[in-house]
Amino acid sequence: MPVKNRFAELQAEITAWRRDLHENPELLFDTHRTSGVVADKLRAFGCDEVVEGIGRTGVVGVIKGKTQSSGKVIGLRADMDALPITENTGVEYASKTPGAMHACGHDGHTAMLLGAAKYLSETRNFDGTVVVIFQPAEEGGGGGKVMCDDGMMDRWGIQEVYGMHNWPGQPLGSFAIRPGAFFAATDVFEVTIEGRGGHAAKPHETIDPTVTSATIVTALQSIASRNADPVSQIVVSITSFVTSSQAFNVIPARVTLRGTVRTLSAENRDLAEERISQLCTGIASAYNCSAKVDYTRNYPVMVNHDEQTAFAAEVAREVSGDCADAPLIMGGEDFAFMLEERPGAYILVGNGDTAMVHSPEYNFNDEAIPAGCSWWAGLAERRMPAA
């Protein structure tokens, strides 16, 4: 099953959809235009059911095969939201929305799944039901969890679920996947260190939270180097250091630190949260300051299920001739919530030699469309072969 000829025929049309979405990016749950475009196209394709408003602005389409004797139902998910980044690609279809752009390729993901939905609605060459899932708010809003919390999996009886992401630097149209932990848990924390401010010429009359905070920043790196197993993966990064005074001659009374933690196991996630609290409060106390730690668990580790991963790789090899072993990725992905609800797998499709995602110069490569659409369609036809 190489790239399907139908997707070569549809590539120009799907590309036009993708570029329209690229021109009109929307953030988080505010995907009203995008969701409307998706729903209208699914209805035009002849989907058996189209429901809007799942997970606030998510869209679900149902496509029944020629027969349903297998009783199988698989979900195929694409994300729709953009990022709060100012575009710097120079393409003629660049974002028309100030301060927002499709810098992660969700426009491409949505367009490819729409292409697959059109094909599957035309052919219906499978025995079972395909549920196409278009999700808002992957970029920090947890839209996948919100759709699950809305009862999506049970409402449509979804038994397995599959997702895909483009990947710059990977050969165009190729695939890569791995079983087990794949994308990291993405937690955030904020630490407020309180001291006593004063004149910088008289530090002995102050309790300096700046020195305290600098010590904390350094000490937090010991979590990865001295607390976690050296062969495990854990990242603790301070990304913001803000004092309550910006004057050159004033020692501030307060410092706020913000950061992120990336882990690939529940054990390291617990370890990081515990040690951040211990180090911050302990060091602050030693320097006569106080520390308040707010730790928030965001996306969990995204874990591919073994059997579904092997199947997804098999379909990928049929499309492109190969499926590589993907690396561990310390970025987050809220498809993790769907994989906690149902067995499934997440795969990478190569975007070629392009700027990395989340860059102002990034752009989805439209030449990846036939491979991505073929993989989506192949999942349905191979998992639920026509009776």
Side-chain angles (χ1 to χ4, degrees):
M1 187 196 71
V3 168
K4 293 181 179 294
N5 291 335
R6 181 61 174 139
F7 293 123
E9 297 169 0
L10 288 171
Q11 184 171 359
E13 183 178 2
I14 298 170
T15 295
W17 302 342
R18 200 283 293 185
R19 294 184 178 187
D20 172 71
L21 296 174
H22 189 91
E23 269 192 302
N24 298 278
E26 296 174 300
L27 304 178
L28 295 172
F29 290 100
D30 293 328
T31 57
H32 303 287
R33 179 189 184 277
T34 305
S35 299
V37 167
V38 166
D40 287 347
K41 290 192 183 302
L42 293 177
R43 292 188 182 100
F45 299 160
C47 288
D48 297 281
E49 183 181 2
V50 179
V51 179
E52 300 178 69
I54 304 298
R56 294 169 60 177
T57 48
V59 181
V60 170
V62 177
I63 307 167
K64 294 182 179 179
K66 290 178 180 177
T67 55
Q68 287 89 48
S69 62
S70 71
K72 292 181 179 178
V73 183
I74 67 169
L76 310 177
R77 171 270 200 180
D79 35 21
M80 300 187 292
D81 58 320
L83 281 157
I85 294 175
T86 298
E87 183 163 353
N88 187 32
T89 62
V91 296
E92 61 181 10
Y93 50 87
S95 169
K96 297 188 294 188
T97 305
M101 74 169 287
H102 272 292
C104 202
H106 296 185
D107 50 343
H109 304 164
T110 296
M112 287 190 293
L113 187 54
L114 282 172
K118 181 179 177 71
Y119 167 86
L120 292 170
S121 296
E122 291 172 350
T123 60
R124 300 183 185 261
N125 190 33
F126 55 94
D127 177 33
T129 302
V130 173
V131 178
V132 288
I133 302 162
F134 295 87
Q135 180 208 303
E138 192 284 321
E139 298 289 359
K145 183 178 189 303
V146 178
M147 292 189 84
C148 289
D149 289 347
D150 254 4
M152 175 183 69
M153 296 296 185
D154 290 336
R155 178 171 175 177
W156 283 284
I158 297 170
Q159 298 162 353
E160 298 180 349
V161 65
Y162 296 87
M164 176 168 51
H165 203 295
N166 78 94
W167 206 249
Q170 183 175 310
L172 179 64
S174 68
F175 293 92
I177 198 169
R178 66 180 299 120
F182 192 175
F183 279 61
T186 59
D187 299 339
V188 297
F189 61 91
E190 180 176 284
V191 185
T192 304
I193 299 96
E194 297 274 0
R196 183 173 68 238
H199 201 292
K202 296 184 176 183
H204 59 290
E205 295 179 359
T206 73
I207 300 176
D208 190 347
T210 307
V211 173
T212 305
S213 300
T215 304
I216 288 172
V217 171
T218 302
L220 291 181
Q221 301 313 304
S222 69
I223 297 173
S225 67
R226 288 296 177 268
N227 298 141
D229 187 327
V231 300
S232 65
Q233 293 80 23
I234 180 169
V235 176
V236 180
S237 294
I238 295 291
T239 56
S240 175
F241 189 121
V242 179
T243 66
S244 60
S245 171
Q246 302 304 308
F248 287 100
N249 60 347
V250 174
I251 290 173
R254 181 185 312 106
V255 172
T256 302
L257 305 176
R258 295 186 179 91
T260 185
V261 175
R262 307 299 173 101
T263 54
L264 285 163
S265 70
E267 294 77 15
N268 273 348
R269 199 178 195 188
D270 292 341
L271 169 69
E273 181 174 3
E274 179 182 14
R275 290 298 291 148
I276 286 172
S277 179
Q278 290 172 341
L279 287 167
C280 290
T281 55
I283 291 169
S285 176
Y287 281 76
N288 291 324
C289 289
S290 65
K292 179 177 180 291
V293 181
D294 292 314
Y295 191 100
T296 302
R297 294 193 173 205
N298 284 336
Y299 297 174
V301 180
M302 191 189 74
V303 180
N304 272 347
H305 297 250
D306 290 349
E307 196 270 333
Q308 286 73 23
T309 299
F311 167 67
E314 181 181 324
V315 175
R317 282 190 289 271
E318 292 177 352
V319 172
S320 68
D322 190 23
C323 186
D325 293 331
L328 290 167
I329 295 172
M330 299 309 285
E333 169 54 62
D334 88 338
F335 190 63
F337 292 112
M338 295 192 186
L339 290 178
E340 287 186 334
E341 293 267 336
R342 294 293 189 273
Y346 193 77
I347 202 166
L348 304 180
V349 62
N351 204 55
D353 186 17
T354 66
M356 194 55 187
V357 294
H358 291 224
S359 162
E361 288 77 32
Y362 167 84
N363 190 22
F364 178 81
N365 192 333
D366 292 316
E367 295 305 310
I369 286 172
C373 291
S374 295
W375 183 77
W376 283 127
L379 287 175
E381 292 177 344
R382 290 277 284 103
R383 200 60 161 171
M384 303 180 293

